Amino acid sequence: INAEYGADLERRGFFEPSNSHVTFRIFELIFLFCLGCFFISTNIYLSLVFFMLFSGRCGWVQHEGGHNSLTGNMKVDKLLQNLTIGFGLLTDGSMWNSMHNKHHTTPQKVNFDIDLDTTPLVAFYDTAIEKNRNRTWSKWWLRYQAWTFLPVTSGIFVMLFWIFYLHPRKVIRDRNVGQIFILAFGHLFRTWLFYHFGGYSWLQSYGLLMITMWGTGVYLFGHFSLSHTFTPVVESDQNVNWVQYAIEHSIDIDPQNPMINWVMGYLNCQVIHHLFPTMPQYKQPAVSKELVQLAKKWGMKYEIMGYWKAWYLMFKNLNDVGHVYFSGKQKSS
């Protein structure tokens, strides 16, 4: 299904990049950034919203750059990734790629998919504590993890850990001078904008920058979690093929809805993305229509659901797993 269908899609041009699409996405980022700048002196709340959107949209662009599916030129894609993730998210492309490649290799596989190695801050399945690395955990924290996942875990803990430790450590170890400069510029330039145009102190200005990073973390990690986290896990001693990983352990979210495609940066086509990670993502909604029929032919369950149902199931899973650990009724490891 993957090789034959992939070859057919390639013959039909689905892997060909679009310079106009890439240009549009870059100008969208510039436009959002300019709106953030414009409102600093007149409406700081709108300014923060636009800067959050700017950084969040940088997250979608850098993700696609990391997969070399933007321009088709690996050097250009990696440059765009490092610029958008460095300036927009204050983090590093090579660190992201290292982690994200592990996820793509074995999505939802225990002890292999890094996106499941999230304890003790969050447990996505009911043996996560037992099967991840040994760490101190709180049943009270997990009991309310559905409430803390977005505002605290995603917006504060993960973002601060990435921005101030994990990613800077990587660029320093790699002696990546170019990325160090991009990160430093990302920290300083927006802080200076708040200081110069808003009349805030340097400390207040940097605090405003961190508020935008909080909103970005909520936006990105919230949406990243929608397509996998409540699907079944693959045990560490089980082996499934590439197609099963993509179709049975991911879901697509309303891929024919242009607004959802925009909000989620086309990562609502997660199944298609895992099957064909180097395909330009704006072409994946069209592939989704075809995969519906192909999955029926091969007897596989290709699941498509609505945006709000995905949010409901994600939070329900967090709540259910938290209740299991709070009540002590988790499965035997």
Side-chain angles (χ1 to χ4, degrees):
I1 181 174
N2 201 28
E4 294 179 8
Y5 185 47
D8 177 60
L9 291 170
E10 189 169 7
R11 283 193 297 269
R12 291 188 283 150
F14 276 89
F15 287 85
E16 290 296 320
S18 167
N19 290 332
S20 60
H21 177 76
V22 175
T23 301
F24 168 79
R25 295 184 72 172
I26 291 172
F27 273 97
E28 178 194 41
L29 295 180
I30 294 172
F31 179 65
L32 290 171
F33 189 85
C34 289
L35 285 175
C37 294
F38 176 79
F39 282 108
I40 288 176
S41 61
T42 58
N43 190 325
I44 190 61
Y45 301 106
L46 270 180
S47 174
L48 294 175
V49 168
F50 282 119
F51 278 130
M52 288 176 192
L53 273 175
F54 163 76
S55 293
R57 307 299 294 171
C58 281
W60 302 138
V61 172
Q62 74 80 23
H63 170 267
E64 191 153 3
H67 281 286
N68 305 314
S69 58
L70 277 173
T71 68
N73 183 310
M74 185 178 295
K75 289 184 178 179
V76 174
D77 281 3
K78 288 296 189 286
L79 175 62
L80 289 173
Q81 180 189 26
N82 282 323
L83 288 172
T84 50
I85 198 173
F87 182 72
L89 294 169
L90 311 179
T91 48
D92 174 52
S94 63
M95 185 72 240
W96 166 272
N97 293 336
S98 175
M99 297 188 297
H100 194 58
N101 288 342
K102 295 177 182 178
H103 163 68
H104 265 267
T105 304
T106 50
Q108 290 295 96
K109 185 168 184 175
V110 176
N111 295 332
F112 288 84
D113 183 359
I114 197 169
D115 288 3
L116 291 179
D117 185 16
T118 55
T119 56
L121 291 179
V122 61
F124 287 117
Y125 60 102
D126 59 9
T127 54
I129 295 294
E130 294 80 6
K131 293 181 178 178
N132 277 322
R133 287 173 285 176
N134 186 29
R135 297 165 174 146
T136 302
W137 61 282
S138 165
K139 71 175 187 178
W140 284 98
W141 177 264
L142 293 183
R143 177 64 185 89
Y144 296 103
Q145 66 174 355
W147 297 91
T148 58
F149 175 63
L150 288 182
V152 182
T153 302
S154 299
I156 299 176
F157 292 156
V158 175
M159 288 302 288
L160 292 181
F161 179 67
W162 279 26
I163 290 171
F164 293 108
Y165 177 72
L166 187 65
H167 288 250
R169 183 185 65 169
K170 179 70 163 62
V171 296
I172 291 170
R173 285 180 173 180
D174 292 347
R175 298 181 181 179
N176 189 343
V177 177
Q179 196 65 12
I180 290 173
F181 174 79
I182 295 171
L183 293 180
F185 187 67
H187 280 275
L188 292 173
F189 186 60
R190 266 176 286 178
T191 302
W192 177 82
L193 288 173
F194 289 125
Y195 170 79
H196 183 74
F197 293 106
Y200 299 97
S201 69
W202 281 104
L203 183 61
Q204 289 172 327
S205 298
Y206 194 70
L208 291 172
L209 172 63
M210 287 298 105
I211 290 174
T212 68
M213 290 296 101
W214 172 84
T216 299
V218 171
Y219 173 57
L220 286 178
F221 290 114
H223 284 100
F224 278 136
S225 68
L226 293 184
S227 298
H228 289 290
T229 58
F230 52 83
T231 64
V233 297
V234 179
E235 296 298 338
S236 59
D237 58 351
Q238 291 180 317
N239 292 294
V240 300
N241 63 46
W242 182 271
V243 177
Q244 287 175 299
Y245 272 126
I247 295 183
E248 297 177 359
H249 302 280
S250 306
I251 57 118
D252 278 355
I253 301 169
D254 213 355
Q256 306 312 317
N257 186 324
M259 186 63 187
I260 303 303
N261 293 339
W262 181 83
V263 168
M264 296 189 66
Y266 294 100
L267 281 183
N268 53 314
C269 301
Q270 191 73 198
V271 173
I272 313 299
H273 175 59
H274 273 261
L275 286 173
F276 310 111
T278 59
M279 177 186 290
Q281 291 171 3
Y282 79 97
K283 295 187 177 183
Q284 292 173 359
V287 178
S288 173
K289 290 182 179 180
E290 299 182 3
L291 188 60
V292 170
Q293 300 303 319
L294 195 61
K296 288 180 181 178
K297 175 182 175 182
W298 286 88
M300 304 190 75
K301 183 183 179 183
Y302 169 40
E303 188 164 8
I304 298 175
M305 68 175 58
Y307 180 74
W308 297 113
K309 182 178 180 181
W311 276 109
Y312 168 76
L313 291 177
M314 187 270 287
F315 282 122
K316 182 179 184 300
N317 178 63
L318 288 174
N319 185 71
D320 291 347
V321 173
H323 181 74
V324 165
Y325 277 106
F326 183 76
S327 62
K329 295 179 181 179
Q330 60 267 33
K331 298 176 183 176
S332 171
S333 61

